[in-house]
Amino acid sequence: MIKQQYLYIISLVLISMNSFAQDNEWSIYHNDNNGSFNIESSDGEYKFSPGGRFTFDGGFFDQDITPLSAGTMVREMRINSAFKVKNMNIFVDVDFAGSKVSMKDITLRYNFNPQSFLKVGHFVEPFAANYLTTTEIVPFVARPATASAFAPGRSLGLSYTYRNRYMWFSGGVFGNDKDQTYEGQDGYAVTGRLVLIPIEIPNSHLHFAVSASHRTADSRGLDESGSGKYNRKLNFTAGLQTSIYTENLLAAYIGPSGTDSYGQTDLEDLENGGAKDQFQLGFEVMDIYRNFYWQAEFMHTRVNRIMNKDKILDLERDGGVFPETWDDISYKYGEARPLNFSGYYVQASYLLFGGNFKYNKYSSSISRLTEKSLQLSARYNYTSLNDIEGEYINGDFYTEKGKNLSFAGGKTKAFSMSLNYVFNANLRFIAEYTNQTIDNFIAPDENINIYQARLQVVF
């Protein structure tokens, strides 16, 4: 279905371009600066740029407890098409890796002027520099666990972007990009990123940024009264910093615990409470000086929860216990207090040869290396999905007040070093070593060495 829609969009746009540009002469050329292939009208009003990237990964592990298998995989098989029709841009990007069709970016952009535009479609929400940076640029095989756990990723939405010499801003409203599996309303989000650029001189660039996002939880079904108020869920997951092993070793599933979650009908679901909404903040700094740059990000997530206390009281009374108020049994169930998770990473890169790093003022991130170069990079990452109060006893946490609805999703630390050899604008090779520790509250701790490589073709 997605493949048919992809071909339909391309055909429609090409027909439109032909109808509006019959009087133009067309040129076909290859851009040596970025390795792209282009078809453009003589007046510059119409342009078609097909492209894509193929990414091949391989790696093996040296671990102390859980046996992990070496392997290879096709990480990406992306095919995209970019169209310019006067002051509009259309971009369609689909991934065919793993014998599956996955929709990535499908956007329509209206340009008010060179500094501002409105975008609608399916794309990455403007939050966190690392997740807004494509894999063509990221100098590591995998993103840090902080970005995997907390960055919103792609959604259906509408955004507005504005930039000038001293700042860059993008903000929008977003909905769920997945099929509605359960009854009830899906969540929505308001997300934005503001970048301040105090220094921009030749061969040097400094920026500070803050991102924020408020998201309501997705429905997990309706209860017998037809309400989904207490039956919503939010998930946060992360794993090893590799594409070869994809299991989630850190996980925070906040909301009903039942497998189907079609309404909270028993204490197993009710005692966990439901997710209400989340508020995320991100702070970042990036500094470029000639052939050296570094960047750091901190992300914090606060999840508000809600508990159906009236329903729990009813079930307690049906079971032969007769509490008068919630205070009589609160020690037994605890309070659905907010949960706080956070993480950060710091990374730096040095070009051993190949010129200097450049700043992309359109995306407010580092530019892709397109000339022969060798890049040495290092990164440290810490991510925690724990919010623990009290002592762990028989599967639950307790304080002097009774049960505490703490959460132990685990935490991880990782140190990575990589070498990127850029042959040209179309070909890149990465060799990387990562040492990652996994600290789960219940499961044994892991210390894993990851050796991996990537070959990436961009066209």
Side-chain angles (χ1 to χ4, degrees), residues 87-91 107-111 117-120:
N87 58 348
M88 290 191 300
N89 294 87
I90 299 171
F91 186 69
T107 61
L108 172 64
R109 192 177 86 182
Y110 180 83
N111 303 291
F117 60 84
L118 191 69
K119 183 163 64 174
V120 62

Side-chain angles (χ1 to χ4, degrees), residues 395-459:
D396 291 305
F397 293 91
Y398 292 89
T399 66
E400 65 278 2
K401 296 181 180 180
K403 185 177 179 179
N404 185 279
L405 294 182
S406 295
F407 215 99
K411 60 183 179 180
T412 182
K413 300 176 184 177
F415 174 76
S416 303
M417 291 196 69
S418 70
L419 269 177
N420 280 247
Y421 184 76
V422 178
F423 294 86
N424 51 46
N426 301 106
L427 185 63
R428 178 173 72 140
F429 176 78
I430 303 176
E432 180 182 322
Y433 164 74
T434 294
N435 174 260
Q436 185 169 0
T437 60
I438 304 292
D439 181 4
N440 281 322
F441 195 85
I442 301 175
D445 297 344
E446 298 269 10
N447 190 322
I448 303 169
N449 295 305
I450 307 170
Y451 306 88
Q452 53 191 333
R454 165 171 289 180
L455 181 66
Q456 188 172 66
V457 181
V458 180
F459 57 94

Side-chain angles (χ1 to χ4, degrees), residues 186-211:
D186 284 338
Y188 66 90
V190 179
T191 304
R193 177 171 176 254
L194 174 65
V195 180
L196 301 179
I197 310 169
I199 297 178
E200 185 179 24
I201 58 178
N203 298 319
S204 182
H205 196 105
L206 175 66
H207 96 202
F208 300 95
V210 59
S211 301

